[in-house]
């Protein structure tokens, strides 16, 4: 987390990670409030997805990102964050030498 995020007791300026109690930056801990039992898989393991399916899943998550951030429950947002991290980590593992658009580089 960057230090630019302002958060103090009693305010609502917290980041999603700070507001969502079950989020630790990488995993969900307790989904029992939403009825999900321990051991229940929350999506197909990204390593098992074909390349086209991985891209489709990432596209879907990015398409719904703002709506989830603005309107979903804290547990749904935590699940969205977790799944996005899983899928993007798998993508980077598959494509470590991905093409970088020179237009996206910053001058040094």
């Amino acid at each position: 987390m960057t230090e630019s995020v302002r958060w103090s007791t009693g305010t609502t300026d917290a980041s999603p990670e700070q507001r969502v109690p079950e989020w630790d930056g990488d995993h969900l801990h307790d989904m029992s409030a939403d009825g999900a039992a321990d051991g229940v898989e929350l999506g197909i393991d990204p390593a098992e997805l074909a390349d086209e399916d991985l891209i489709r899943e990432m596209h879907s998550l990015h398409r719904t990102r703002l709506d989830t951030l603005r309107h979903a429950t804290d547990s749904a947002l935590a699940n969205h964050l977790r799944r996005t991290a899983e899928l993007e980590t798998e993508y980077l593992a598959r494509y470590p030498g991905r093409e970088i658009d020179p237009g996206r580089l910053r001058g040094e």
Side-chain angles (χ1 to χ4, degrees), residues 19-91:
R19 289 188 302 108
V20 180
E22 61 269 27
W23 175 256
D24 73 358
D26 290 320
H27 299 84
L28 287 175
H29 291 291
D30 180 17
M31 292 296 291
S32 58
D34 288 332
D38 288 340
V40 173
E41 192 171 324
L42 298 172
I44 297 172
D45 181 354
E48 296 177 13
L49 294 171
D51 288 350
E52 308 83 45
D53 296 330
L54 179 65
I55 299 292
R56 186 190 70 242
E57 290 293 316
M58 286 192 309
H59 185 318
S60 176
L61 282 169
H62 285 273
R63 189 185 76 250
T64 60
R65 176 71 180 144
L66 182 58
D67 188 55
T68 303
L69 178 63
R70 293 184 64 209
H71 305 294
T73 63
D74 285 348
S75 61
L77 177 58
N79 188 51
H80 196 277
L81 291 165
R82 177 198 55 82
R83 187 64 174 166
T84 300
E86 288 176 353
L87 293 169
E88 289 179 351
T89 298
E90 178 63 24
Y91 179 84

